[in-house]
Amino acid sequence: MTTPIPQPPGIPLVGNIFDVDPSNTWVSLQKLWEKYGENPARWFFILLAWTNIRTSGEIFKITVLGQQIVFVGSVALCEELCDEKRFRKYVGGPIVEIRKAVHASLFTAFANEPIWDVHHRILGPKMAPDAVAEHFKEICNISNELVAKWRDQGAGSTISPINELNRLDIETTTQCFYGRRLNNLTGAAHPMIAAMDGATGEAIKRPTRPKILNWLMYSGKFNRDCAAMRQYAADCLSYRKSHHDLSERKDLLYTMMNAKDPETGKALDEQQIIDEIVTMPIGSSTAPCAISSALYHLLRNPACITRARKEVDAILGPEGEFVHAHLDQLPYCTGIVREALRLSAAAPGFNIEPLPSSSSKDPILLAGGRYSVTATQTMIIVLHGVNRDPAVFPSPYSFQPERMMGEAFEGLPAGAKKWFGNGKRVCYGANYAFMWCVIVLVGLIRETDFEMVDEGYELKQDGWFNLRPVGFEVKVSPRKK
């Protein structure tokens, strides 16, 4: 006999719509997961309440405007739902809404749209580890510019890490993949940053409202933000066409403009190029969130900073050049990035649905038959829960980079490493994003001292297609060596 999936009490007609704050959806889901999630081992963990373990569950559901959604928050269930012989990425809700800006891109294409395979065969090779390694030096150089900016502001100047790293992200992404400098590290931030925030935020909120309300009251700004994002892409494309000195730069934009699908012979048209140009910064925006969170956890755990600096200084020396070959020699810094990805859930989750089946009336059994869902049930993997599963991570709320190193990391279940999604539809920029995170982290801890502006600050997050620290400010000074 199956176990009923827990659900918060709802209101007739609208269901649990008021249990989810549209302005901070993911944090709302985290709270629901902690309160209502079914966990067969809950009483075991209650008995261990003296440890750093908070009791929380592995599955719950809500109903919003007649639509039922199931949420999963354990490593075991996450791993089960990532079995591509049974399940696939579900494109719905906010992802459908953001198609207003990117149409059928690698991020948003429906499973039955063949254009996804065409785009992936053309662009995928440019995201392979060897290909993204070519951008190592560019990321280092631009990151050094940001550190130099802070140095010029004077010791003890106050910054918002997420704001500064968002600037760095759009600057490096645009340079590495499209060959264009925005020069937005100083002065006004590039409008693409605000447009992404506005469009993705509205995309998250729109499924929670009646369509008529979206059309009457919210479409104007959403349309303007989507248009601004596409204008950023159009400007990148126009810049490349007008700068013949960049014609031999074999970057992602070159591939979009010149390559053909090896199977069908199809190429990307101009609108499809713009779609994919816009898509990349939306995806890479999770990286600044992860590193901002890493800085918070490092400041709360100063021994980790000491150990990381010892590793960096031993490998790079006081004035040595940081090169790509050093990445494999920095296991502790790599562990910091992984642990920050775990605790921040910078990319907060992804959507799953059962594979279509001729026996669509048969229920789908989960967890060895413990739970049952319909054959068309939408499920969302909430990484805040998965990444804190006490069955896999002892003291799951503590920051321990050591668990993300060497044999300890290799021994983790596959379901505990889904920071960038899964399988065929995994974030295709994951190799670049992870390299970016390590480069930036190493550069910051090597050259800069950080101090919390508010020593009593506790990490708070919000976000849309990402989760970022809120109200987190630090004082920066050149590192005292």
Side-chain angles (χ1 to χ4, degrees):
M1 179 176 293
T2 60
T3 299
I5 297 175
Q7 178 175 7
I11 298 173
L13 298 180
V14 297
N16 300 111
I17 194 168
F18 297 113
D19 291 311
V20 180
D21 180 1
S23 66
N24 204 345
T25 301
W26 287 105
V27 172
S28 297
L29 294 177
Q30 291 170 9
K31 293 177 179 177
L32 289 172
W33 166 75
E34 292 175 353
K35 185 174 182 180
Y36 292 103
E38 170 68 15
N39 188 338
R42 178 181 295 275
W43 289 107
F44 171 75
F45 293 124
I46 288 175
L47 292 173
L48 296 180
W50 51 271
T51 68
N52 187 24
I53 294 176
R54 304 181 193 180
T55 62
S56 48
E58 63 177 355
I59 192 168
F60 71 94
K61 65 182 179 182
I62 63 173
T63 302
V64 176
L65 300 177
Q67 180 182 4
Q68 178 176 281
I69 308 171
V70 172
F71 298 88
V72 164
S74 75
V75 169
L77 275 179
C78 173
E79 191 160 335
E80 181 174 353
L81 294 185
C82 288
D83 179 358
E84 292 184 285
K85 295 178 180 178
R86 299 176 62 199
F87 304 96
R88 69 183 183 186
K89 175 178 176 176
Y90 171 70
V91 177
I95 302 178
V96 170
E97 298 292 347
I98 205 62
R99 283 171 65 102
K100 174 75 176 180
V102 299
H103 305 118
S105 70
L106 284 171
F107 176 44
T108 57
F110 294 112
N112 61 356
E113 288 184 293
I115 197 65
W116 185 90
D117 295 288
V118 173
H119 286 212
H120 195 265
R121 285 191 293 266
I122 292 174
L123 303 181
K126 299 301 293 184
M127 293 294 109
D130 289 347
V132 301
E134 297 175 3
H135 300 300
F136 182 94
K137 188 65 176 177
E138 288 177 310
I139 298 172
C140 282
N141 290 342
I142 300 173
S143 180
N144 290 340
E145 290 179 25
L146 182 63
V147 172
K149 166 192 163 181
W150 296 344
R151 184 171 58 244
D152 293 344
Q153 290 175 348
S157 59
T158 297
I159 66 161
S160 162
I162 188 61
N163 290 346
E164 294 290 289
L165 293 174
N166 278 340
R167 289 173 179 250
L168 179 63
D169 172 52
I170 192 67
E171 192 74 41
T172 50
T173 296
T174 308
Q175 170 60 33
C176 290
F177 295 128
Y178 314 137
R180 182 186 178 211
R181 286 300 304 266
L182 300 176
N183 299 313
N184 94 129
L185 296 183
T186 59
H190 193 276
M192 177 62 171
I193 296 175
M196 281 196 299
D197 186 64
T200 56
E202 178 61 15
I204 289 281
K205 297 173 186 177
R206 291 175 79 80
T208 68
R209 309 189 200 107
K211 291 183 179 180
I212 186 66
L213 192 62
N214 284 331
W215 180 71
L216 287 173
M217 299 185 62
Y218 297 99
S219 288
K221 184 177 185 304
F222 183 52
N223 291 339
R224 290 192 297 273
D225 285 336
C226 290
M229 294 164 72
R230 294 188 69 79
Q231 186 60 54
Y232 154 82
D235 290 345
C236 289
L237 185 56
S238 176
Y239 183 88
R240 175 59 62 91
K241 289 179 177 179
S242 64
H243 282 71
H244 301 293
D245 56 313
L246 296 175
S247 61
E248 295 305 312
R249 181 184 168 90
K250 303 299 193 295
D251 57 13
L252 186 65
L253 183 53
Y254 175 92
T255 301
M256 292 182 190
M257 295 171 67
N258 295 282
K260 294 184 178 181
D261 175 24
E263 291 191 15
T264 66
K266 292 181 178 179
L268 276 62
D269 63 34
E270 187 159 306
Q271 291 306 304
Q272 291 169 335
I273 292 173
I274 289 174
D275 293 343
E276 298 296 357
I277 291 176
V278 174
T279 293
M280 181 57 73
I282 293 175
S284 69
S285 69
T286 59
C289 302
I291 296 305
S292 297
S293 296
L295 291 178
Y296 167 80
H297 289 293
L298 287 171
L299 288 170
R300 283 281 175 249
N301 299 271
C304 295
I305 299 179
T306 300
R307 181 171 174 181
R309 283 178 165 168
K310 184 178 180 179
E311 178 180 81
V312 170
D313 292 345
I315 298 301
L316 303 185
E319 302 295 336
E321 182 184 3
F322 186 19
V323 298
H324 186 268
H326 288 137
L327 290 178
D328 289 338
Q329 303 173 48
L330 298 167
Y332 191 73
C333 290
T334 299
I336 289 173
V337 171
R338 290 172 179 157
E339 184 73 340
L341 286 166
R342 182 184 75 84
L343 285 175
S344 69
F350 50 99
N351 304 344
I352 296 291
E353 66 179 350
L355 286 174
S357 170
S358 56
S359 56
S360 59
K361 294 183 179 180
D362 294 340
I364 303 295
L365 298 179
L366 304 174
R370 186 182 305 134
Y371 311 113
S372 173
V373 299
T374 67
T376 57
Q377 178 63 61
T378 301
M379 291 169 280
I380 299 179
I381 294 175
V382 182
L383 290 177
H384 175 88
V386 173
N387 296 347
R388 288 164 175 77
D389 187 341
V392 175
F393 299 108
S395 300
Y397 287 81
S398 65
F399 184 71
Q400 300 178 19
E402 297 84 357
R403 66 170 127 222
M404 294 295 179
M405 298 168 57
E407 292 182 1
F409 176 71
E410 296 302 325
L412 290 175
K417 306 173 184 178
K418 297 298 182 181
W419 315 305
F420 295 107
N422 179 64
K424 176 181 177 180
R425 299 297 293 267
V426 71
C427 170
Y428 92 110
N431 292 316
Y432 170 82
F434 193 86
M435 183 180 75
W436 187 96
C437 286
V438 177
I439 292 171
V440 173
L441 175 74
V442 169
L444 296 184
I445 63 176
R446 187 187 191 195
E447 302 294 341
T448 308
D449 284 332
F450 298 91
E451 178 186 350
M452 281 197 188
V453 172
D454 177 6
E455 287 295 335
Y457 174 82
E458 295 293 335
L459 183 62
K460 299 179 181 65
Q461 294 176 294
D462 72 7
W464 312 119
F465 287 14
N466 54 39
L467 275 177
R468 61 208 172 202
V470 178
F472 176 48
E473 294 185 324
V474 299
K475 296 178 182 179
V476 292
S477 301
R479 178 186 170 192
K480 298 175 183 177
K481 300 182 181 180

